[in-house]
Amino acid sequence: MEKIRLKSAYFKQLKGLREAEILFEKPLTAIMGVNGSGKTTIIHALACIYEPNNKGENHRFPEFFVPNTDAIWTGSELYVVNEYQDENKDWVAAESVKYEKAVDRWTPRYANRVKRDTYYIGIDTCLPEIEKNTPQSRIQYSTQSLFSS
């Protein structure tokens, strides 16, 4: 089995992340920041970029980026660079892969993602089943002002 690891992720536009790059140069990377700075967005996006090879989790962008009236995610872009170990056990950078929400679906197709077993551990994995709410379709709502001008 070929060894693959994430080298870098570049968020051109995804939620509040604009022109943000993360380099994964060490075996462990900590993502820290104030509330609303994009930590969860990064983790959710990275949970979706690989197709399981054997037993990993198979997350998809709509699980974490549910379309709604204010955010349909069209125009969102994420670029990742992976490395693979060649026959000499040297790490070689692979071609950049672009993930984007184009009109009605995310690309590339899920079956065309890089294969790697990964596991997403987020706060939602610790919630009791009764508290979980994972909508799998578009959420539509409307708003109205409570104050007259």
Side-chain angles (χ1 to χ4, degrees):
M1 178 190 312
E2 188 175 76
K3 284 191 175 183
I4 296 172
R5 67 182 180 191
L6 181 61
K7 177 74 174 165
S8 66
Y10 173 74
F11 297 84
K12 183 173 181 183
Q13 178 182 330
L14 185 60
K15 284 193 175 183
L17 296 173
R18 304 278 189 278
E19 309 291 332
E21 182 175 24
I22 301 172
L23 303 177
F24 298 92
E25 298 172 332
K26 305 283 183 185
L28 179 65
T29 301
I31 300 174
M32 301 181 298
V34 299
N35 290 348
S37 62
K39 301 178 301 292
T40 302
T41 299
I42 292 166
I43 299 302
H44 285 169
L46 295 180
C48 300
I49 64 174
Y50 296 108
E51 178 185 356
N53 197 24
N54 290 317
K55 57 187 180 238
E57 295 178 359
N58 190 15
H59 292 286
R60 296 168 185 249
F61 287 98
E63 289 177 47
F64 302 113
F65 304 99
V66 179
N68 62 60
T69 304
D70 295 322
I72 57 173
W73 311 113
T74 301
S76 294
E77 293 183 26
L78 159 66
Y79 299 81
V80 296
V81 175
N82 291 290
E83 291 182 317
Y84 65 92
Q85 217 169 21
D86 67 11
E87 60 278 351
N88 298 323
K89 304 278 188 207
D90 294 323
W91 288 99
V92 180
E95 195 173 315
S96 174
V97 178
K98 176 183 178 183
Y99 296 87
E100 68 177 328
K101 177 73 182 309
V103 186
D104 64 340
R105 62 180 309 279
W106 288 88
T107 60
R109 293 194 178 277
Y110 290 109
N112 296 338
R113 295 177 294 174
V114 173
K115 291 184 186 288
R116 177 182 177 192
D117 289 326
T118 57
Y119 299 91
Y120 167 75
I121 300 172
I123 192 68
D124 57 328
T125 60
C126 304
L127 293 174
E129 283 297 319
I130 197 166
E131 292 183 25
K132 291 183 181 180
N133 181 12
T134 314
Q136 297 296 319
S137 62
R138 181 180 302 260
I139 298 171
Q140 294 188 5
Y141 56 84
S142 63
T143 59
Q144 76 181 53
S145 176
L146 297 176
F147 305 100
S148 57
S149 357

